[in-house]
Amino acid sequence: MTILVAYVARPEGQAALDKGIEIATRRNERLVVVNAGPGGRDESIVDGYEGERVAERLSQLPIEAEFKHFVRGKSTIEEIEELVDQLQVSVLVIGLRKRSPVGKLLLGSMAQEILLNVSCPVLAVKAN
């Protein structure tokens, strides 16, 4: 089984990564951390340094762990759904950020779309 973490280079992404590491280590399950998006000006895409930092942290864990970085033109949701279907994911960990009522109304919610579309349990964590 695999713990999948949807990672962004923001505090909520760090919270998801920390919780994913904790769960995978406790359960002795494989950990896959993914950062994905269509590319362009998508602010959720990590740069090379951030990706290397995450990969380095994962390489020091006592479990099998890897970092995947996709910028293939697919949406973040599509990439996550494909990985959930391919990897026998026992739990998907996502980070949530606080939004104003107007922000919730205008921007929609990627977290909501993930919750409604993936076929595995989802753990949503907040940044401190």
Side-chain angles (χ1 to χ4, degrees), residues 19-56:
K19 184 55 77 173
I21 288 171
E22 175 190 323
I23 294 168
T25 302
R26 186 176 66 239
R27 293 183 179 185
N28 197 31
E29 290 187 28
R30 178 178 180 223
L31 175 65
V32 175
V33 179
V34 64
N35 175 256
R41 296 180 178 257
D42 186 348
E43 293 178 8
S44 68
I45 299 299
V46 302
D47 62 22
Y49 172 76
E50 180 68 15
E52 289 175 15
R53 190 184 67 76
V54 172
E56 175 63 26

Side-chain angles (χ1 to χ4, degrees), residues 7-15 42-44 50 97:
Y7 180 78
V8 294
R10 293 191 297 256
E12 61 270 19
Q14 188 61 51
D42 186 348
E43 293 178 8
S44 68
E50 180 68 15
R97 64 181 163 157

Side-chain angles (χ1 to χ4, degrees), residues 20-108:
I21 288 171
E22 175 190 323
I23 294 168
T25 302
R26 186 176 66 239
R27 293 183 179 185
N28 197 31
E29 290 187 28
R30 178 178 180 223
L31 175 65
V32 175
V33 179
V34 64
N35 175 256
R41 296 180 178 257
D42 186 348
E43 293 178 8
S44 68
I45 299 299
V46 302
D47 62 22
Y49 172 76
E50 180 68 15
E52 289 175 15
R53 190 184 67 76
V54 172
E56 175 63 26
R57 182 173 179 199
L58 297 179
S59 73
Q60 297 174 11
L61 296 175
I63 56 170
E64 181 183 348
E66 68 178 298
F67 178 69
K68 293 182 177 283
H69 180 73
F70 298 129
V71 184
R72 305 188 288 202
K74 295 180 185 178
S75 75
T76 302
I77 306 296
E78 289 172 317
E79 295 285 10
I80 290 171
E81 286 176 345
E82 283 184 21
L83 286 171
V84 166
D85 292 341
Q86 292 171 3
L87 299 176
Q88 281 192 300
V89 173
S90 60
V91 66
L92 167 63
V93 183
I94 62 173
L96 294 179
R97 64 181 163 157
K98 204 174 226 184
R99 291 182 181 234
S100 70
V102 173
K104 291 176 192 172
L105 178 67
L106 295 176
L107 300 176

